[in-house]
Amino acid sequence: MFKKRLLSVMMASVMVLTVAAGCSSKDSASGGSGGTGANGKENVEISLWLTPQWKGVFDATEQNADNDSFFKYAAEKFAKQYDKYNVKVKVQVVAGDQRDELLNVNLNGGTPPDIFFESVFAMGDYAHRGALVPLNDIVDDKAKKDIPQSYWDNVTFGENIYFYPFSHNPGTLAYNADMFKAAGLESFVGGEKEIKTWTLSEYEQILEGLKTKLPKDKYPNAKPMALYALNNQGDTWNLAYLRMFGNKFFNDQGNLVTDDASGVKAAEWLQKIYKAGYTNPGAESVSSNDANAMFQNQKLGISFTNAVLFNNAKMDMQSGKAPKFDLRLANIPSESGDPLSFTYVVGSNVFNTGDEKRTEVAKEFVKFYSTDPELVKASKNSIPVRSSVASELKDQFPLFAAYDANSKYLFNFTGNVPGYSQLRQQLYPELQAMYIGEKTPAQAVKDYQSKGNAVIQKAKESSTVYKK
């Protein structure tokens, strides 16, 4: 999947934080316990890894802001109020493309980090591998009420919560309101602080209007909507389109069920708008990055976006890197009228190190920075999962309230099934075959279901979540 980071260029770096006297830092990824400090308390050292999420504790404009600043600050604050042990936290920032390699090396060597702060989407397989410990005991009713259920669904595998939600990066559609107005589609334009919801019928009217009424002299060669299937990057929007006619996608056993009337109808709709010229041509060879570039250059009226891409696009306009236009948000429509939305939840998991004291401290630290009234406000660097934070900061960040209200429309795009990273490789070849006419929509979704379920079944055999 394309990079989903607030900053486009990040360097992998290792930084060590000492927040209490006692133990010396170790070269391995894991921490340790043992020895006694001057205060008579036992020393416990834990490690926390993260991929670059934001700079600074609360804002990148802070002096000496870096990717580890938040966790340095949180660890210092935690150590001062934690009475049971003298705690040290080692913080290591790793590049996203090095994450799995480093984790697998350390897991195989028995030295995993105690905590990893990352997108659940990227870390779900570790829950199935039995590498993580459940966090049910550190999640209370207050947190469950403040964080909408759709986010808890994203972090629950089987009966257990394996990630504590902190922030999220919601996916929606983006549209060029100037192009809408130029095509006489003003009535379909939502507010600047709104995530607009269209019915499927309205959406088709929009596509038709952008195709036939958009001034060709002002927007030469522009097409209504982005469509791509070159690889698995940005595939979450394709997964959403396949749900537009009510397809459940996964059944209660965690198997694909795309090969039913609703799944076939969705695939037929994609083929229909493609053949009708409502999308960019050559979808089978167009990537999500290509589509995003076309949209920013006003060659497409509607495209995909998430909160990070949306903010980056606005910054590109302000800096002169991209043409300026009125950029707004909308939900993915569906036949039922209830829109479709999804998100990438970011939060913390705790690895099973086999050290009970380190696990205890790690879970307490995760709970601390995920619930502390001051620290949770750092989620504004992405989008808060907590309704209380979204409400408190809505005047400063107007879209927070819209994203929070949108949470009721979220679907869990991974289904939290095992082998999801391999499953992603199965869809785009079928879409390619459909767009070039090698397969009918019905055959494409049938083959995706068959091949995808083979991947899932194989992964289930080693999944600790499905061990029953």
Side-chain angles (χ1 to χ4, degrees):
M1 182 169 289
F2 52 84
K3 299 294 184 183
K4 304 182 294 291
R5 298 291 175 260
L6 294 173
L7 300 171
S8 60
V9 179
M10 298 293 185
M11 294 180 62
S13 58
V14 177
M15 302 170 186
V16 178
L17 165 67
T18 303
V19 295
C23 298
S24 60
S25 297
K26 299 182 180 180
D27 292 331
S28 86
S30 55
S33 58
T36 304
N39 58 5
K41 296 179 184 178
E42 187 174 354
N43 301 319
V44 176
E45 182 181 85
I46 61 172
S47 58
L48 182 150
W49 287 13
L50 71 149
T51 53
Q53 301 290 333
W54 68 85
K55 282 191 174 183
V57 179
F58 299 103
D59 196 283
T61 62
E62 296 166 4
Q63 186 175 6
N64 300 320
D66 215 329
N67 299 127
D68 66 345
S69 300
F70 172 79
F71 289 103
K72 283 185 175 182
Y73 180 81
E76 184 176 1
K77 187 173 183 179
F78 174 70
K80 289 178 179 177
Q81 61 85 50
Y82 191 64
D83 294 330
K84 191 169 183 180
Y85 303 112
N86 297 318
V87 177
K88 293 183 178 182
V89 181
K90 295 194 302 181
V91 181
Q92 180 170 332
V93 184
V94 301
D97 58 3
Q98 297 178 6
R99 177 195 61 236
D100 289 334
E101 180 182 357
L102 290 172
L103 271 175
N104 286 323
V105 167
N106 282 278
L107 280 167
N108 291 336
T111 58
D114 296 279
I115 301 168
F116 208 116
F117 186 81
E118 173 63 299
S119 169
V120 176
F121 161 73
M123 300 291 287
D125 281 350
Y126 294 99
H128 286 287
R129 289 169 57 177
L132 310 180
V133 299
L135 304 181
N136 305 49
D137 56 334
I138 63 171
V139 177
D140 56 25
D141 290 339
K142 184 178 180 181
K144 289 182 177 179
K145 290 178 181 178
D146 195 20
I147 301 174
Q149 182 60 42
S150 52
Y151 302 124
W152 294 114
D153 292 343
N154 270 264
V155 301
T156 302
F157 292 68
E159 300 176 353
N160 293 313
I161 296 169
Y162 284 99
F163 303 84
Y164 206 121
F166 189 84
S167 61
H168 70 115
N169 186 18
T172 63
L173 296 178
Y175 64 98
N176 185 326
D178 291 336
M179 291 177 73
F180 274 48
K181 294 171 185 176
L185 300 169
E186 295 93 338
S187 62
F188 297 109
V189 175
E192 293 181 8
K193 303 175 183 178
E194 177 186 7
I195 303 173
K196 181 67 174 176
T197 293
W198 301 306
T199 66
L200 184 57
S201 175
E202 289 173 334
Y203 191 66
E204 291 177 337
Q205 290 179 56
I206 291 168
L207 295 179
E208 175 66 17
L210 289 173
K211 180 186 178 185
T212 61
K213 298 179 181 179
L214 197 63
K216 302 303 181 185
D217 56 336
K218 188 173 182 180
Y219 299 102
N221 302 315
K223 299 293 183 180
M225 175 187 167
L227 201 63
Y228 51 87
L230 177 64
N231 52 37
N232 65 5
Q233 301 300 291
D235 56 357
T236 323
W237 283 264
N238 286 328
L239 298 176
Y241 300 145
L242 290 174
R243 288 170 163 89
M244 287 175 62
F245 291 85
N247 186 261
K248 191 177 178 181
F249 224 82
F250 297 105
N251 62 16
D252 294 339
Q253 289 73 47
N255 296 317
L256 286 171
V257 288
T258 54
D259 182 25
D260 68 1
S262 63
V264 172
K265 193 173 182 180
E268 289 174 341
W269 185 87
L270 286 173
Q271 185 188 63
K272 178 185 74 173
I273 63 167
Y274 180 59
K275 286 186 174 181
Y278 292 136
T279 76
N280 52 268
E284 68 280 358
S285 58
V286 170
S287 71
S288 59
N289 285 336
D290 296 333
N292 191 44
M294 285 188 281
F295 177 67
Q296 286 194 267
N297 286 303
Q298 302 192 86
K299 296 300 182 183
L300 294 169
I302 304 169
S303 188
F304 71 97
T305 196
N306 58 38
V308 173
L309 287 173
F310 182 73
N311 290 329
N312 287 345
K314 286 194 167 185
M315 287 190 289
D316 285 345
M317 290 183 196
Q318 292 171 1
S319 67
K321 292 181 180 179
K324 288 186 178 181
F325 59 86
D326 188 352
L327 175 63
R328 304 196 185 191
L329 298 175
N331 280 310
I332 299 163
S334 75
E335 186 181 46
S336 71
D338 290 330
L340 293 165
S341 188
F342 59 88
T343 195
Y344 307 95
V345 177
V346 177
S348 308
N349 61 61
V350 175
F351 276 89
N352 183 7
T353 62
D355 187 314
E356 292 184 4
K357 291 177 181 176
R358 281 169 50 199
T359 299
E360 176 187 354
V361 172
K363 290 169 73 173
E364 287 297 321
F365 184 41
V366 166
K367 180 180 180 180
F368 177 74
Y369 63 73
S370 300
T371 60
D372 180 79
E374 178 195 25
L375 296 175
V376 293
K377 293 178 185 177
S379 61
K380 71 180 178 61
N381 287 289
S382 185
I383 307 295
V385 292
R386 290 182 173 272
S387 296
S388 60
V389 177
S391 177
E392 182 179 353
L393 300 177
K394 65 182 179 181
D395 291 338
Q396 184 181 0
F397 303 96
L399 278 171
F400 281 4
Y403 282 126
D404 187 53
N406 220 39
S407 64
K408 60 181 174 289
Y409 302 129
L410 296 174
F411 64 88
N412 182 3
F413 64 90
T414 72
N416 292 348
V417 299
Y420 185 74
S421 58
Q422 290 78 31
L423 179 63
R424 294 181 66 201
Q425 304 300 322
Q426 307 306 314
L427 178 59
Y428 70 86
E430 302 304 326
L431 293 177
Q432 289 175 354
M434 183 180 76
Y435 292 140
I436 64 177
E438 285 186 355
K439 293 185 181 181
T440 64
Q443 190 64 49
V445 294
K446 181 178 181 179
D447 290 349
Y448 171 58
Q449 176 176 305
S450 176
K451 295 173 183 177
N453 280 337
V455 170
I456 294 172
Q457 184 56 45
K458 183 177 180 180
K460 279 182 179 180
E461 294 172 2
S462 58
S463 170
T464 58
V465 175
Y466 283 85
K467 62 184 178 181
K468 295 180 180 180

